[in-house]
Amino acid sequence: SYSVTRKIEPFYKGGRIQISRDGKFMFCPCGSKVNVIDVETGALLHSLQQDEEEDVTAFVLSPDDEVLVTGSRALLLRRWRWREPRCERSWRAVHTAPVATMAFDPTATLLATGGCDSTIKVWDMIKHYCTHNLKGSSGVVHLVEFHPDISRLQLFSSSIDYKIRIWDLSSSKCVAVLEGHFSAVTSLAFADGNSLLSSGRDKICMVWDLESRQSKRTVPVYETVEAAVLLPKEGDFSQLGVKKQGLHFVTAGSKGILRVWEVATGACVHSQAVPFALREEPSERSLSQCQFVPARNEILTVSMEHNILFYDAQSLQLRKQLAGYNEEVLDVKFLGPGDSHIVVATNSPQLKVFELATSHCQILYGHTETILALDVFRKGLMFVTCAKDRSVRVWRMGRAGRVTCVAQGLGHAHGVGAVACSRLKESFVVTSSQDCTIKIWNIPESLTSKAKAALISSPEPLHARVTERGHDKDINSVAVSPNDKLLATGSQDRLAKLWSCSDCSLLGVFSGHKRGIWCVQFSPVDQVLATSSADGTLKLWGLRDFSCLKTFEGHDASVLKIIFVSRGAQLLSSGSDGLLKLWTIKTNECVKTLDGHEDKIWGLHSNKKDDMVVTASSDSCITLWQDVTEIEEKEAQAKQEEQIMKEQELSNLLHEKRYLKALGLAISLDRPHTVLTVVKAILREPEGRRHLEENIVRLRKDQKEAVLAFLVTWNTNSRNCHEAQAVMETLLRHEAPDTLLQFSGIKSAVESLLPYTERHFQRLSRLLQASTFIEFMWHNMRLADVAQQDQGTL
């Protein structure tokens, strides 16, 4: 049996990300909810979401980290105690269109909301009312910020007219308009009380003097800037080219790199190096956000692909990367010597390698089209990928966990849809393609040697040793036998075939499926091949005579993947309906169905210890499953032993006539019949009703609620109705009506008790009538006998 231990699921779908003041928690908008993420582990702690809520359009965290406010498309504002999590209050936003941006003042007593209706509202968060309604902006107000000096009572805003407006909250008027940008203003940062830095998509940053309300300097940055962050005056930033005192800022934008600028000269003093793999793909590296996190001494950036990166503030070296969103996941495998990582192929040309302990994600560039499949060599350090770009690539993980591409093979005429690695040694790779061919690629010795592999600067070319046309339709799956001598393929032509690995000669054909075959897998212990098909069945085939040994039926949809688990004794299969099924081969039955996904499960793999499984689906979720068979068996055994001990204890208590404890124990065991036995034992005692009354009165409220639920069942049987009525009488006599009304389930209990109680009363009434009639008859018979005796005497 398996249970879910962890889920890697999308937690960010675009929008502004915020970090708590202590740097431990990250808040990410994701559709209709805001997810709270533990920065260290990348784990989802909880979500802030109301039932049937529309998408969150904006949110903000208070400066003291206590309160979070969200705005939704339903034009509602909600205030959350996010640590609990609990919605404290919700109110109408008053805006006529959704809220686009929010900001708290430094004291967290005022909240400003900028709407798509061109207005700005200011809210008193203590007294809960709207204090200002600021009109005059053009179009969507997408930026609002309070001046850090609260005594000034100034609010800064920007809308799609590219102007920065300064609002005086004491007079509710716009006191100045800063003009200079020719495209949308993307960020505002206050250097001190009298200086403001603004960035825009017009490829410039501007520094403003807030006393004269004029521009002091314009810095051309030659890229569309999404955010500009001021570097703190304290701290050593010499590695970033900061040599002099004065203002310096970091920009993030369309070039996808962080650059440091000196305000005094307007020069770029430091620029991040562009990774080699990204130089030809500028669209992939564009950044949408940037912010300084003082508590972690890091700079956070967000890419257009929803990846969240943490850089060391002193050196701009990458410390951590989290993947906020995975597209449709097509394949997944465990990676690393201790299965410490997983490698994931999503519906994109990039690979993602997740470190399971920290959720740190490496993104690997190399393929130019969607990656379709991957496989890992036995040692777990090397793996192979294939893609729609007709190529196959070999990747290697270094000691520090860094993965690089070490080899590339070209030769297929169409997209490469399946790949398998040799099992014994890292000696060859097998691929199959939509061109209906199979290719066997030799791995050069230079790649298998750690010392030589470390010296490789660019991917080495792979050469196909053998090419063979294998099927008449697309080949969906390929597998290598545990001894590296055999090769199996499964195709849309409904056939599976067995080949020799040495020369790719055909050894046999497995025919029997009614629809295309999705997956083939060799047994690790027997000379058996398993296949799964779109006809909803799994089949086991003998490798000697190519006959079908077993057929497993139970899936209601296509079976996409299968693996052998429990040392070859069981099969685990995944379907296009999002279900996993565990099959015992010996008995031919499905012993467990696991529901963990909402869409097709394309990826399925077990680790080396055979105690954990990873699955990946079109629902963008990756799920880790732990084998809990032993744990469940131990728990069941412990539970059984505990039950036996309690039953023995109950028997002893009844024998010793310690009825109160016996009642409490029977109730804790949740056994109505056992409780009834105790009640009957009490009633059999001299003055049993009085003893029962004393014991029932001394029970706790939750125990009385349980007894009430039990007596509803007892009352349905005429044999036990007297005990039920005795207990009910005690409860009615000693519990006030108001107290009884607070009992859980009291309404349904009364509804169930009334008809049966009336029936018992009617039965007893009839019995009383009958007994009275019998007594009358008996009395009359006695009178007749006495009269006859008197006549005889006379």
Side-chain angles (χ1 to χ4, degrees):
S1 181
Y2 291 89
S3 68
V4 176
T5 57
R6 186 179 171 193
K7 269 195 170 188
I8 299 172
E9 53 190 334
F11 62 82
Y12 171 62
K13 291 183 178 177
R16 185 183 174 196
I17 286 176
Q18 293 197 41
I19 299 276
S20 62
R21 192 170 55 179
D22 58 9
K24 292 180 179 179
F25 304 101
M26 182 168 64
F27 303 85
C28 305
C30 187
S32 62
K33 57 191 176 185
V34 175
N35 289 323
V36 184
I37 307 295
D38 186 319
V39 175
E40 284 302 317
T41 63
L44 173 64
L45 300 178
H46 46 249
S47 299
L48 308 178
Q49 182 181 29
Q50 287 288 93
D51 296 335
E52 299 178 5
E53 181 67 80
E54 292 197 36
D55 283 358
V56 172
T57 56
F59 79 96
V60 68
L61 181 69
S62 63
D64 57 5
D65 281 356
E66 291 300 318
V67 173
L68 185 139
V69 178
T70 60
S72 71
R73 288 194 182 278
L75 306 183
L76 285 174
L77 296 176
R78 297 188 190 277
R79 188 172 73 177
W80 300 83
R81 289 285 174 186
W82 61 269
R83 296 178 194 273
E84 298 180 15
R86 173 172 57 88
C87 179
E88 275 191 321
R89 185 171 174 265
S90 61
W91 69 97
R92 282 277 169 195
V94 187
H95 289 279
T96 57
V99 174
T101 183
M102 295 184 188
F104 269 107
D105 79 322
T107 64
T109 56
L110 295 178
L111 172 73
T113 58
C116 297
D117 57 359
S118 308
T119 66
I120 302 165
K121 317 282 188 208
V122 181
W123 304 84
D124 186 318
M125 296 302 289
I126 296 173
K127 297 180 180 177
H128 309 302
Y129 70 96
C130 181
T131 60
H132 299 77
N133 182 17
L134 308 176
K135 297 180 179 179
S137 302
S138 300
V140 176
V141 180
H142 61 264
L143 202 57
V144 290
E145 289 289 344
F146 281 95
H147 193 284
D149 183 358
I150 192 61
S151 63
R152 294 196 184 189
L153 277 177
Q154 285 183 339
L155 179 70
F156 291 71
S157 71
S158 181
S159 59
I160 59 170
D161 60 1
Y162 319 144
K163 298 172 184 176
I164 301 168
R165 287 178 169 78
I166 306 175
W167 305 85
D168 182 8
L169 297 184
S170 56
S171 63
S172 298
K173 291 182 180 178
C174 177
V175 294
V177 178
L178 309 181
E179 298 186 45
H181 285 284
F182 296 95
S183 188
V185 178
T186 53
S187 71
L188 300 174
F190 295 92
D192 50 47
N194 294 316
S195 296
L196 173 71
L197 171 70
S198 64
S199 66
R201 293 195 179 120
D202 51 4
K203 303 185 179 182
I204 61 169
C205 290
M206 300 186 73
V207 181
W208 304 86
D209 186 336
L210 295 180
E211 287 187 346
S212 63
R213 292 165 183 167
Q214 297 295 320
S215 169
K216 289 201 294 188
R217 177 170 287 278
T218 299
V219 181
V221 294
Y222 311 107
E223 68 168 324
T224 301
V225 182
E226 295 296 332
V229 176
L230 286 162
L231 286 176
K233 293 179 180 179
E234 305 80 20
D236 178 18
F237 296 100
S238 57
Q239 292 184 56
L240 305 183
V242 178
K243 308 294 183 187
K244 304 174 186 175
Q245 291 292 325
L247 285 180
H248 292 76
F249 63 92
V250 180
T251 58
S254 57
K255 290 188 176 180
I257 55 172
L258 296 176
R259 295 194 291 169
V260 183
W261 302 82
E262 186 177 27
V263 171
T265 60
C268 176
V269 295
H270 182 78
S271 182
Q272 263 186 328
V274 182
F276 177 80
L278 288 175
R279 287 173 189 169
E280 296 178 3
E281 301 177 52
S283 62
E284 303 291 351
R285 61 177 198 262
S286 181
L287 300 176
S288 62
Q289 289 177 62
C290 179
Q291 56 183 287
F292 182 66
V293 186
R296 298 177 63 87
N297 195 29
E298 291 175 344
I299 292 175
L300 175 146
T301 66
V302 181
S303 74
M304 288 296 186
E305 290 191 321
H306 305 326
N307 299 316
I308 301 152
L309 301 93
F310 293 85
Y311 292 100
D312 178 68
Q314 260 77 36
S315 62
L316 294 187
Q317 293 296 313
L318 182 65
R319 280 188 181 175
K320 191 182 186 77
Q321 182 169 216
L322 299 174
Y325 183 76
N326 295 316
E327 296 183 64
E328 182 179 1
V329 186
L330 301 181
D331 208 352
V332 64
K333 292 285 190 293
F334 282 103
L335 183 66
D339 295 321
S340 55
H341 296 66
I342 55 171
V343 54
V344 179
T346 59
N347 193 19
S348 74
Q350 289 84 47
L351 274 171
K352 291 179 180 176
V353 178
F354 289 90
E355 186 180 358
L356 294 176
T358 63
S359 296
H360 173 60
C361 174
Q362 290 180 63
I363 297 176
L364 308 179
Y365 296 86
H367 287 286
T368 55
E369 291 188 51
T370 303
I371 298 165
L372 299 174
L374 55 93
D375 197 17
V376 180
F377 285 99
R378 185 170 59 90
K379 291 181 181 178
L381 290 172
M382 282 176 60
F383 65 96
V384 187
T385 57
C386 60
K388 283 185 178 178
D389 61 9
R390 309 176 189 178
S391 73
V392 54
R393 284 178 177 261
V394 181
W395 308 78
R396 187 179 187 89
M397 177 183 278
R399 287 183 180 178
R402 186 171 177 78
V403 179
T404 53
C405 181
V406 292
Q408 179 184 10
L410 296 167
H412 280 289
H414 292 86
V416 187
V419 65
C421 299
S422 54
R423 299 290 120 197
L424 291 176
K425 294 181 180 179
E426 299 165 342
S427 55
F428 66 88
V429 170
V430 183
T431 58
S432 61
S433 166
Q434 292 173 353
D435 60 15
C436 306
T437 63
I438 309 158
K439 287 182 182 287
I440 301 178
W441 311 75
N442 282 338
I443 302 293
E445 289 185 12
S446 58
L447 301 184
T448 58
S449 167
K450 288 183 183 178
K452 292 179 181 177
L455 301 174
I456 296 172
S457 57
S458 61
E460 288 195 9
L462 291 178
H463 301 286
R465 185 182 77 203
V466 184
T467 301
E468 185 70 37
R469 182 176 175 82
H471 292 267
D472 296 328
K473 291 186 179 180
D474 291 2
I475 301 171
N476 292 328
S477 179
V478 61
V480 177
S481 65
N483 62 2
D484 283 351
K485 291 182 178 180
L486 299 174
L487 173 67
T489 55
S491 167
Q492 283 295 108
D493 62 9
R494 299 179 289 182
L495 299 176
K497 294 185 178 181
L498 190 68
W499 311 81
S500 169
C501 274
S502 57
D503 56 359
C504 213
S505 58
L506 182 63
L507 301 177
V509 178
F510 305 96
S511 176
H513 281 292
K514 295 176 183 177
R515 297 186 69 181
I517 294 173
W518 277 112
C519 187
V520 293
Q521 203 74 31
F522 284 98
S523 168
V525 292
D526 295 316
Q527 292 187 4
V528 168
L529 181 75
T531 59
S532 68
S533 165
D535 60 15
T537 65
L538 293 76
K539 289 182 182 288
L540 288 182
W541 310 83
L543 298 183
R544 293 182 182 274
D545 55 4
F546 311 109
S547 63
C548 180
L549 305 176
K550 286 179 182 286
T551 299
F552 301 87
E553 295 180 350
H555 278 281
D556 295 327
S558 299
V559 187
L560 302 177
K561 281 286 169 74
I562 46 170
I563 55 171
F564 284 87
V565 292
S566 306
R567 296 184 178 86
Q570 290 181 308
L571 277 168
L572 190 62
S573 59
S574 65
S576 59
D577 54 3
L579 296 178
L580 288 168
K581 287 186 181 288
L582 184 64
W583 310 81
T584 299
I585 293 173
K586 190 174 181 180
T587 59
N588 219 50
E589 65 177 343
C590 175
V591 293
K592 193 87 173 180
T593 298
L594 306 167
D595 188 1
H597 292 280
E598 297 175 359
D599 209 338
K600 301 178 184 72
I601 302 176
W602 290 112
L604 177 63
H605 192 229
S606 65
N607 65 350
K608 296 184 190 74
K609 291 181 179 178
D610 203 14
D611 62 354
M612 190 174 279
V613 167
V614 61
T615 57
S617 166
S618 297
D619 61 7
S620 303
C621 287
I622 301 160
T623 306
L624 290 159
W625 306 78
Q626 183 76 40
D627 185 353
V628 293
T629 310
E630 288 186 14
I631 297 169
E632 286 184 355
E633 285 176 357
K634 286 179 181 176
E635 285 178 355
Q637 188 177 353
K639 198 173 180 181
Q640 190 177 1
E641 289 174 359
E642 188 182 359
Q643 288 284 100
I644 292 168
M645 292 292 289
K646 284 185 176 180
E647 285 173 7
Q648 183 60 49
E649 186 183 352
L650 182 62
S651 178
N652 294 341
L653 289 170
L654 286 173
H655 184 71
E656 296 166 10
K657 298 186 179 181
R658 293 162 66 187
Y659 294 123
L660 181 62
K661 275 199 169 183
L663 265 178
L665 185 58
I667 292 167
S668 70
L669 288 169
D670 195 25
R671 291 189 176 181
H673 183 71
T674 310
V675 177
L676 179 61
T677 305
V678 177
V679 171
K680 285 182 175 179
I682 296 171
L683 289 173
R684 279 196 295 268
E685 292 290 313
E687 298 187 10
R689 289 297 279 260
R690 185 174 62 81
H691 288 311
L692 178 66
E693 198 170 314
E694 289 173 356
N695 286 303
I696 294 293
V697 168
R698 291 170 67 188
L699 292 175
R700 299 192 309 269
K701 185 191 173 187
D702 60 317
Q703 292 175 324
K704 289 176 184 176
E705 289 174 351
V707 169
L708 180 64
F710 294 162
L711 69 84
V712 169
T713 308
W714 306 340
N715 198 49
T716 58
N717 193 328
S718 59
R719 293 180 182 176
N720 306 322
C721 66
H722 301 293
E723 290 79 9
Q725 294 295 325
V727 174
M728 190 159 49
E729 181 190 356
T730 303
L731 289 173
L732 290 170
R733 285 177 61 187
H734 291 275
E735 297 291 334
D738 291 340
T739 309
L740 280 171
L741 285 170
Q742 291 176 2
F743 279 26
S744 65
I746 184 68
K747 185 179 177 183
S748 59
V750 170
E751 288 173 354
S752 302
L753 284 167
L754 279 173
Y756 281 102
T757 302
E758 286 176 6
R759 192 180 299 175
H760 297 320
F761 182 74
Q762 290 168 4
R763 182 170 52 80
L764 289 172
S765 297
R766 289 195 301 271
L767 189 62
L768 182 62
Q769 281 179 346
S771 63
T772 306
F773 179 70
I774 290 169
E775 188 180 0
F776 172 74
M777 291 290 292
W778 172 247
H779 185 69
N780 284 343
M781 288 168 68
R782 286 185 62 194
L783 285 174
D785 288 344
V786 170
Q788 286 177 6
Q789 286 175 6
D790 289 344
Q791 287 177 1
T793 306
L794 291 171

